[in-house]
Amino acid sequence: MKIREVRATPVNIDYREPERWSQGHRLGVTGIVVEIETDKGIVGLGESVPAPSPEVTLGAIRSVTPLLIGQDPRRVSQRLRDIQTVGGFGAFPHTGNAALAGIEIACWDIVGKALGAPVHALLGGRVRDHVEFMAFVPYHPDTRRIEAEARRYAAEGYRTLYIKGGFGEEKDLAAMEAMRIGGGPGRHLRMDPNENWTPDVALRMVHALKNFDVQYIEQPTRLDRLEELGVLRRRSPIPIAANQSSWLNHNILDIISIGAADLVMTDPWQAGGIRAFHQAANLCEIAGVQVVYHSLAPLSIGTRAVMQVLASSTACSYAHQTYHQMLVDDVVKEPVRHPGGIEPVDDKPGIGAELDLEKMKAAHERYLKQGYLSAYAEEE
């Protein structure tokens, strides 16, 4: 079996309401759908994320396409190693991983379809029959909006609620209080300041937030200062999770070795594909550290791929990140929706996603009209 064609298509899906975070404002998601067609008629689906922009990611995919044509998609690991060396992507791992992950996912999809098996079976088999996801509670200056959203998600059955922080100490505390009131007792609460707390602010905040029974705080301080994160973790009454600090798998080794975090957050686009994400989960399992999937806001293609790893690792038992409750549509026939936070793991061949060609066309036309829906846009 040989690769005959590689297609990468940028698409836009709107949010039902804006996403606010400490570094910007986003009205929807731009994704890049990757299709790899073989000479046997099998088409593998993957998804890349625009990092730092769709143009850069699309350019990266185009640059490696000549290295893929005529190659066997079943030799996934070898092809990626070749691309990282011959293609020069080893020198640009952050951007390279975000682009190459879509290609790698599509190759895994081909292998699963060719064998008639789900990818999680190729990773050793599933250890759970469903994956749990959190509910994204949009930050809003009016805390009544936060409280109402948290109450709605709690009524739907979500056990874990997540909100952005980093807007200022008083605003962050008020947001968490509103989420606790709306969510009620028994819900797991999380806050993500996106590196926006200085060490002194972070220490004050974790002691103030402990009154709301917070499950963990995600990446409160700078990504490149693991020592600060480790000091905070040892002095914090709330568990600390590393995300930006764990972007590459070798960073996870550093986090574990110095005890910088209680949990590690990563994904295929940080790590460089399904295999690398699975390796990260295995590494954390050995170290006794839980892994929480970090969402770079992929569509259902990417999330179906992620679920193959989450279903097959015992280190992934927490509720995972998602933005799917925010999306008004998708590009597949059966979008991920996880009512109440629960998404069943099925045994469909490959990653289990099938394109809806009409929705795909409409989403691509939205991209051509709207351009990149950047998470760093300024609010009007």
Side-chain angles (χ1 to χ4, degrees):
M1 181 162 51
K2 304 297 182 183
I3 294 174
R4 187 169 65 185
E5 185 179 1
V6 178
R7 299 186 292 272
T9 307
V11 295
N12 277 6
I13 300 294
D14 294 332
Y15 278 153
R16 60 178 177 81
E17 66 176 278
E19 172 197 357
R20 294 178 177 88
W21 65 306
S22 61
Q23 298 178 39
H25 176 261
R26 180 160 58 177
L27 300 176
V29 169
T30 297
I32 297 174
V33 177
V34 177
E35 300 170 84
I36 296 182
E37 186 173 341
T38 72
D39 59 357
K40 300 298 183 182
I42 300 175
V43 178
L45 293 181
E47 187 175 347
S48 296
V49 296
S53 72
E55 292 81 6
V56 170
T57 302
L58 289 165
I61 293 172
R62 284 194 295 268
S63 74
V64 302
T65 294
L67 302 176
L68 297 169
I69 302 301
Q71 300 299 318
D72 189 337
R74 294 168 294 189
R75 302 178 72 171
V76 180
S77 298
Q78 179 183 338
R79 295 315 305 152
L80 279 182
R81 281 196 295 269
D82 291 346
I83 288 170
Q84 288 170 336
T85 54
V86 178
F89 277 70
F92 306 96
H94 297 81
T95 296
N97 286 357
L100 297 181
I103 294 170
E104 196 251 20
I105 290 168
C107 288
W108 276 104
D109 193 38
I110 290 169
V111 174
K113 288 174 176 175
L115 296 175
V119 170
H120 61 73
L122 309 181
L123 297 175
R126 66 187 183 197
V127 297
R128 56 182 59 87
D129 295 327
H130 69 270
V131 173
E132 185 175 359
F133 290 96
M134 58 161 221
F136 183 97
V137 177
Y139 174 83
H140 197 279
D142 184 351
T143 57
R144 292 172 298 182
R145 295 273 296 273
I146 297 173
E147 183 179 332
E149 283 288 284
R151 183 172 291 108
R152 180 173 70 84
Y153 282 129
E156 291 178 10
Y158 283 91
R159 300 194 306 168
T160 303
L161 308 178
Y162 163 102
I163 195 167
K164 294 290 189 180
F167 298 97
E169 294 180 55
E170 291 185 5
K171 291 180 179 179
D172 288 352
L173 288 170
M176 183 62 78
E177 181 179 19
M179 193 162 67
R180 172 54 74 198
I181 292 171
R187 295 291 183 278
H188 300 301
L189 305 186
R190 302 173 182 174
M191 176 168 278
D192 178 11
N194 287 108
E195 308 176 63
N196 217 35
W197 292 347
T198 59
D200 59 323
V201 168
L203 188 59
R204 285 198 299 272
M205 288 298 293
V206 293
H207 283 279
L209 288 169
K210 70 179 180 180
N211 298 323
F212 301 114
D213 190 22
V214 177
Q215 187 182 46
Y216 67 76
I217 301 295
E218 176 184 341
Q219 197 67 50
T221 57
R222 285 277 299 274
L223 68 91
D224 55 349
R225 296 175 181 172
L226 282 186
E227 295 80 5
E228 289 181 355
L229 198 65
V231 170
L232 175 65
R233 182 221 174 185
R234 289 187 287 275
R235 300 176 67 183
S236 173
I238 299 173
I240 301 297
N243 168 222
Q244 288 91 332
S245 293
S246 57
W247 196 281
L248 304 176
N249 280 3
H250 70 79
N251 299 140
I252 298 175
L253 286 172
D254 296 333
I255 290 168
I256 291 172
S257 66
I258 70 171
D262 298 284
L263 303 98
V264 164
M265 302 184 67
T266 185
D267 57 64
W269 302 276
Q270 290 187 181
I274 287 178
R275 179 173 178 269
F277 183 36
H278 194 247
Q279 288 174 329
N282 289 339
L283 174 62
C284 290
E285 182 177 0
I286 291 169
V289 175
Q290 281 288 305
V291 172
V292 175
Y293 158 61
H294 163 258
S295 177
L296 282 166
L299 305 176
S300 288
I301 295 171
T303 303
R304 292 286 183 203
V306 164
M307 287 177 61
Q308 308 302 312
V309 175
L310 301 181
S312 60
S313 173
T314 59
C316 303
S317 61
Y318 276 49
H320 300 280
Q321 278 195 358
T322 182
Y323 288 78
H324 280 279
Q325 314 98 323
M326 304 271 290
L327 299 175
V328 300
D329 207 345
D330 213 300
V331 297
V332 298
K333 292 184 177 179
E334 297 182 10
V336 172
R337 284 291 179 260
H338 44 72
I342 302 300
E343 188 70 27
V345 178
D346 59 45
D347 290 323
K348 294 178 181 178
I351 63 171
E354 183 179 359
L355 277 180
D356 184 313
L357 296 181
E358 289 300 316
K359 289 185 176 182
M360 172 85 160
K361 179 181 177 181
H364 179 55
E365 290 174 351
R366 277 194 298 274
Y367 171 79
L368 295 177
K369 180 179 179 180
Q370 297 172 326
Y372 177 31
L373 296 175
S374 172
Y376 297 89
E378 293 184 2
E379 188 169 0
E380 296 181 356

